[in-house]
Amino acid sequence: MSQVSQNLLEGAGTFTAGLLLWLFTEEVEVPVVTLTKVGVVMMWLGGALVALGLYRAARSRPR
């Protein structure tokens, strides 16, 4: 698996997991963190990984 496809796959998975946390854990209480805020952070990280994968894909194309 190339680095580009790995970044895209990991980013999409991280974004999806964060979205699910953000949508469905509003009433769940955890002592240290708020799961909805963790979901938002995971969505940001997933989006950054997807953007990195897209950037690497654009840079690796022959001109």
Side-chain angles (χ1 to χ4, degrees):
M1 179 181 284
S2 71
Q3 188 68 31
V4 171
S5 60
Q6 183 178 356
N7 281 353
L8 292 172
L9 185 63
E10 286 178 0
T14 304
F15 184 85
T16 303
L19 182 63
L20 291 174
L21 280 173
W22 180 64
L23 288 175
F24 298 115
T25 61
E26 189 171 334
E27 297 177 2
V28 178
E29 295 198 19
V30 179
V32 179
V33 295
T34 306
L35 292 178
T36 53
K37 290 179 184 177
V38 171
V40 170
V41 170
M42 287 179 69
M43 286 190 299
W44 275 99
L45 291 174
L49 279 172
V50 168
L52 178 64
L54 292 174
Y55 173 75
R56 285 185 175 172
R59 296 286 294 175
S60 67
R61 288 186 181 165
R63 295 178 190 217

